[in-house]
Amino acid sequence: RLGDLYLQQKRRDDALKVYARVIRRYPLSEGGMVSLIRLGDLMQEGDLNLESEHIFPVPFLADPVSTYRKVIELAPANPLAEVAFLRIADFYRKKGEYLKALATLQEFFGKYPESRLLQNGRALQAETFLDQTVFYHSRGYFLRAIQTYTHFRATVPESVIKQARPFKAMLMVGDSYVRLGLHNQANQMFESILGDAEGVVVAGDEALFRLSQSHLQAGSRDRAGQVAQQFLITFPRSKLRSPVLALLGELAFDARDLRGAASLLSRALEHPERPFVAIMGGAKVSDKFAVIENLLTKVDRLLIGGGMANTFLAGQGFEVGKSLLEPDQVPVAEELLRVASDRIGLPADVVAATKAEASAQSKVVGVEEVPADMMIVDIGPDTVREFAKSIRGARMILWNGPMGIF
């Protein structure tokens, strides 16, 4: 209790001295077990000075898991051993070692089926499954994300699932279905969120937005428009309002309602989600300078590729060989770079070819190395990676024009 009091007072070193003294003098007592658990907890927070005068060097103080395992070894029938099991599982979960965490919990359920901490274990199991689902989605392992969530639903009791509020993971699973082209399953997942009152509060706007996107990608444009309109009515102040307006603008453009499309897209740009990234490509830059100047007042990052990037590269002093170039526009590009170079992203490397044909000889070169007898036909792999970083971090993207010849 004295050690715990010191911890509350943020006197960490004094607490360590007390816990170490208890472990030395009363290793098999309940106080000794508690002290071991406290030391494991402190190890999770930061390194312990195990060579200091008050901490004796012993193998089970090497890491938190070893310390918790020592409690289980010394007193397997003590309720504190159950606490130690859950500490180990949570330690693995926080480190992202989800399979080890789930295996530890299964060991706990097997050894202590009547434990008073059973509900805590189930809650931790649910949290681990959901974290693992989100992790797999973030790494692009969409099928694994779906499988993990399916296992979660089959393994965890329904009462615990409801308490876990799995709506974020459900969004990721729905998106995983979309990425795999399984739009019916995706729609069912998003509609499940919208069918739960708490789900609507926690993630309703994003579920409805993703549902409209799923319908759009599946080719159900009318249904996508209906869902998007429902979004604007249901969530008028959502941060996703701008992307929904942009989606409706795209639908209006496809329907040849150019005035409606322009109005919707203009409204979408009034309050964009940030970071807001624009991607501009295509052949000629002269037609788009006005657009670029306008975008630079709104975006956090403007990525430029395609033939129009050549004019900006020339503005930086690079030779572009036989590439498409508008020499009279170079001074305009130079001025834009002067006032907004921190927001403009240009190619660092390019694909250069002898001519604009698929069969032509080509190679990747830095922008400072473009041969005089070759032309730039695409952005290079280093540029792809750099542009991708900006795109991944964006919450809203406006894209106009390709990055190379196609």
Side-chain angles (χ1 to χ4, degrees):
R1 296 294 184 184
L2 179 61
D4 289 350
L5 180 62
Y6 284 148
L7 274 188
Q8 292 173 14
Q9 297 173 347
K10 302 188 184 304
R11 296 166 59 181
R12 192 169 182 266
D13 283 347
D14 289 333
L16 286 174
K17 292 178 183 178
V18 171
Y19 295 141
R21 187 183 309 159
V22 174
I23 294 169
R24 274 199 302 265
R25 294 185 179 180
Y26 313 103
L28 298 179
S29 70
E30 185 158 319
M33 301 298 105
V34 172
S35 295
L36 281 170
I37 289 174
R38 293 289 189 269
L39 286 178
D41 296 345
L42 288 169
M43 285 183 198
Q44 290 196 54
E45 296 174 6
D47 293 334
L48 298 184
N49 181 12
L50 300 182
E51 301 303 322
S52 68
E53 60 187 23
H54 54 274
I55 297 291
F56 51 98
V58 288
F60 57 83
L61 288 178
D63 59 78
V65 172
S66 299
T67 305
Y68 297 138
R69 282 286 178 189
K70 193 64 178 180
V71 176
I72 298 168
E73 175 193 325
L74 292 174
N78 192 306
L80 287 171
E82 302 168 27
V83 174
F85 262 112
L86 297 188
R87 288 289 210 281
I88 293 171
D90 194 45
F91 173 73
Y92 283 138
R93 181 191 66 82
K94 290 175 179 175
K95 286 189 65 180
E97 298 184 28
Y98 303 114
L99 295 179
K100 288 184 178 180
L102 292 170
T104 302
L105 288 167
Q106 284 302 117
E107 186 181 358
F108 167 76
F109 297 142
K111 285 181 177 292
Y112 307 103
E114 305 298 325
S115 171
R116 289 181 298 174
L117 298 177
L118 194 61
Q119 192 71 6
N120 301 69
R122 289 297 183 191
L124 182 56
Q125 183 185 40
E127 190 175 3
T128 303
F129 271 126
L130 296 176
D131 286 351
Q132 187 179 33
T133 300
V134 173
F135 169 80
Y136 281 144
H137 175 271
S138 70
R139 295 298 189 275
Y141 302 142
F142 302 122
L143 185 57
R144 287 189 183 182
I146 293 168
Q147 291 171 334
T148 301
Y149 182 79
T150 302
H151 191 193
F152 158 72
R153 297 291 310 199
T155 305
V156 179
E158 190 62 36
S159 60
V160 178
I161 291 176
K162 189 167 183 63
Q163 291 176 356
R165 307 170 78 196
F167 307 113
K168 179 181 178 181
M170 292 172 73
L171 288 171
M172 300 303 101
V173 173
D175 185 65
S176 295
Y177 280 125
V178 170
R179 303 295 186 97
L180 296 173
L182 303 172
H183 295 286
N184 288 336
Q185 292 90 328
N187 297 346
Q188 290 173 11
M189 185 62 65
F190 298 138
E191 287 166 356
S192 295
I193 297 173
L194 295 166
D196 185 296
E198 191 174 8
V200 172
V201 173
V202 174
D205 60 343
E206 189 163 357
L208 202 56
F209 171 55
R210 288 178 181 269
L211 181 61
S212 65
Q213 284 187 313
S214 177
H215 282 303
L216 180 63
Q217 293 180 35
S220 304
R221 307 184 82 78
D222 289 344
R223 181 59 183 147
Q226 292 168 2
V227 174
Q229 292 290 356
Q230 181 185 348
F231 177 100
L232 296 178
I233 295 170
T234 309
F235 302 103
R237 297 183 179 180
S238 169
K239 63 182 182 179
L240 293 172
R241 180 179 175 83
S242 290
V244 172
L245 288 169
L247 185 150
L248 287 169
E250 181 182 345
L251 291 173
F253 183 84
D254 288 345
R256 297 296 184 267
D257 178 10
L258 301 185
R259 188 180 298 275
S263 174
L264 286 161
L265 290 170
S266 295
R267 289 166 61 193
L269 293 175
E270 288 174 3
H271 302 288
E273 272 208 88
R274 297 196 180 277
F276 175 24
V277 174
I279 308 167
M280 299 293 288
K284 296 183 69 176
V285 71
S286 55
D287 298 337
K288 297 182 180 178
F289 265 134
V291 175
I292 291 173
E293 289 179 2
N294 184 44
L295 281 174
L296 284 172
T297 66
K298 303 176 184 296
V299 301
D300 299 291
R301 190 75 172 154
L302 174 61
L303 308 176
I304 299 177
M308 63 187 299
N310 300 336
T311 303
F312 284 89
L313 293 175
Q316 289 182 319
F318 297 119
E319 297 293 334
V320 295
K322 297 193 301 181
S323 307
L324 177 68
L325 178 65
E326 296 178 83
D328 59 319
Q329 300 298 322
V330 171
V332 184
E334 290 176 339
E335 178 61 17
L336 287 175
L337 289 169
R338 187 184 68 80
V339 299
S341 61
D342 59 325
R343 279 171 289 146
I344 296 177
L346 292 171
D349 65 336
V350 294
V351 178
T354 53
K355 51 186 175 180
E357 295 180 5
S359 59
Q361 289 184 336
S362 64
K363 62 180 179 178
V364 175
V365 296
V367 292
E368 72 282 358
E369 302 171 334
V370 178
D373 60 343
M374 300 184 82
M375 63 176 63
I376 297 172
V377 295
D378 205 346
I379 58 175
D382 289 344
T383 302
V384 170
R385 282 189 286 271
E386 285 303 309
F387 281 14
K389 288 179 184 177
S390 296
I391 292 168
R392 285 195 193 98
R395 291 292 297 172
M396 185 169 175
I397 300 167
L398 176 66
W399 189 350
N400 178 267
M403 296 290 97
I405 296 174
F406 66 97

